[in-house]
């Protein structure tokens, strides 16, 4: 799907005849395939599942620019408009959660009826005045340097931060494979965006029911992010996972899926 004249975004539409719709946005530096274990479940509840690879990731085009949150949100809007989505749930993991928040802020008339934030990289990914949680700028600068010089090693270390529970070597290999499908440019440029963007002023514009799903053992986007989101988004619920790290949708898979469905089915 073309979102700009020379930028094509990969979109997957599963169970298009479903009575309800959820649009899923992946995290850094993954792609839409990270949601494999939700796609076994959601169509059983009559959900049409729309997934997109953010520019530079997965099967989408890899332009040299356009990786700030505003452009990523405009890409989401182009997909929503092209598919004619109405009254849908928007869900985002990590970077995808940040993009989802900017999308709702930038397009206040968007036909979103619920928002799901999974381990969201928000409100601010690095420590800022008034927001003391997360990495320091120096730590993210080192992450960016590593992405620019030894991306495979960065991915190895990132995969280790995803899990608090034991997983098979094959699972680690799969996750690392998804991450390595990303372009180097997108990996670096979205890390710069996460470092520099600040979503605190966006949060007051969020009015839809919001479910915040976050692991207490998250070392990439600390649990304090979820608590701050819960305090700042008026109509929000916090679903805490005591035994999960950043990969909240893997560490406690059954519990995560059950609570996600619980939130989606709330009137």
């Amino acid at each position: 799907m073309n979102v700009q004249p020379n930028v094509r975004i990969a979109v997957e539409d599963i169970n298009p005849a479903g009575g309800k719709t959820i649009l899923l946005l992946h995290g850094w530096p993954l792609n839409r395939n990270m949601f494999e274990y939700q796609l076994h479940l959601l169509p059983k509840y009559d959900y049409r599942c729309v997934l997109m690879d953010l520019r530079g990731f997965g099967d989408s085009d890899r332009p040299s620019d356009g990786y700030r949150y505003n452009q990523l949100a405009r890409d989401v809007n182009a997909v929503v408009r092209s598919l004619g989505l109405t009254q849908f749930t928007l869900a985002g993991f990590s970077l995808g959660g940040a993009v989802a928040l900017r999308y709702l802020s930038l397009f206040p008339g968007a036909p979103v009826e619920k928002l799901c934030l999974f381990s969201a990289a928000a409100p601010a990914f690095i420590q800022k005045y008034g927001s003391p949680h997360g990495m320091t700028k120096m730590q993210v600068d080192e992450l960016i340097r590593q992405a620019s010089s030894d991306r495979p090693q960065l991915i190895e270390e990132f995969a280790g931060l995803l899990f608090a529970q034991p997983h098979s070597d094959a699972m680690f290999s799969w996750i690392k494979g998804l991450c390595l499908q990303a372009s180097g440019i997108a990996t670096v440029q979205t890390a710069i965006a996460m470092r520099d963007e600040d979503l605190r002023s966006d949060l007051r514009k969020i009015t839809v029911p919001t479910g915040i799903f976050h692991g207490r053992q998250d070392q990439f986007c600390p649990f304090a992010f979820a608590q701050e989101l819960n305090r700042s988004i008026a109509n929000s619920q916090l679903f805490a996972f005591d035994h999960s790290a950043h990969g909240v949708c893997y560490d406690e898979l059954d519990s995560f899926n059950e609570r996600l469905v619980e939130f989606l089915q709330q009137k």
Side-chain angles (χ1 to χ4, degrees):
M1 177 181 299
N2 289 332
V3 295
Q4 287 182 317
N6 297 310
V7 180
R8 183 188 62 87
I9 294 295
V11 176
E12 190 170 0
D13 195 346
I14 296 173
N15 192 33
K20 297 165 284 189
T21 301
I22 184 168
L23 171 58
L24 295 149
L25 307 178
H26 65 83
W28 178 94
L30 294 148
N31 59 55
R32 70 186 192 278
N33 293 309
M34 68 160 289
F35 294 112
E36 176 175 342
Y37 302 107
Q38 285 65 59
L39 300 181
H40 293 308
L41 175 73
L42 293 174
K44 296 177 182 178
Y45 289 87
D46 196 32
Y47 271 90
R48 173 190 186 186
C49 299
V50 178
L51 305 97
M52 58 180 285
D53 286 338
L54 300 177
R55 60 171 61 205
F57 297 92
D59 296 319
S60 288
D61 284 349
R62 304 172 171 216
S64 60
D65 58 9
Y67 295 101
R68 303 292 293 190
Y69 287 178
N70 279 1
Q71 182 57 57
L72 296 175
R74 285 193 286 267
D75 291 349
V76 173
N77 189 57
V79 170
V80 169
R81 290 174 61 87
S82 180
L83 294 178
L85 300 185
T86 59
Q87 297 303 302
F88 67 95
T89 294
L90 180 61
F93 172 79
S94 193
L95 168 65
V99 173
L101 288 165
R102 178 55 55 83
Y103 168 75
L104 285 171
S105 172
L106 202 59
F107 300 97
V112 174
E113 61 180 8
K114 284 187 178 181
L115 173 65
C116 297
L117 300 173
F118 310 146
S119 305
F125 185 63
I126 67 168
Q127 297 173 18
K128 297 178 185 287
Y129 179 77
S131 184
H133 309 293
M135 298 184 190
T136 64
K137 181 179 182 297
M138 186 178 299
Q139 287 173 313
V140 180
D141 284 345
E142 173 58 24
L143 182 152
I144 292 165
R145 185 202 65 76
Q146 194 174 10
S148 303
S149 58
D150 191 349
R151 188 165 61 96
Q153 181 59 37
L154 170 66
I155 297 309
E156 183 80 21
E157 294 170 9
F158 173 73
L161 292 176
L162 274 177
F163 304 130
Q165 300 303 308
H167 294 273
S168 68
D169 290 343
M171 175 65 89
F172 276 94
S173 295
W174 177 66
I175 288 289
K176 288 185 283 188
L178 296 184
C179 294
L180 287 169
Q181 289 178 36
S183 76
I185 289 173
T187 303
V188 169
Q189 291 299 318
T190 49
I192 292 171
M194 288 193 293
R195 181 195 67 190
D196 295 345
E197 299 268 10
D198 190 334
L199 291 157
R200 285 177 289 178
S201 63
D202 298 68
L203 300 183
R204 63 175 178 268
K205 302 175 184 177
I206 309 302
T207 58
V208 298
T210 301
I212 301 164
F213 300 75
H214 215 107
R216 291 188 184 274
Q217 298 185 48
D218 195 333
Q219 297 180 57
F220 192 71
C221 293
F223 186 70
F225 284 10
Q227 293 173 309
E228 189 173 349
L229 290 168
N230 188 213
R231 286 192 296 267
S232 301
I233 299 175
N235 192 9
S236 65
Q237 293 176 254
L238 176 56
F239 297 88
F241 295 83
D242 293 341
H243 308 294
S244 292
H246 190 55
V248 65
C249 46
Y250 304 109
D251 267 339
E252 296 178 78
L253 175 62
D254 291 341
S255 177
F256 174 84
N257 281 347
E258 288 169 7
R259 296 169 88 179
L260 174 59
V261 170
E262 171 193 330
F263 175 71
L264 292 175
Q265 293 186 319
Q266 288 178 7
K267 300 298 184 183

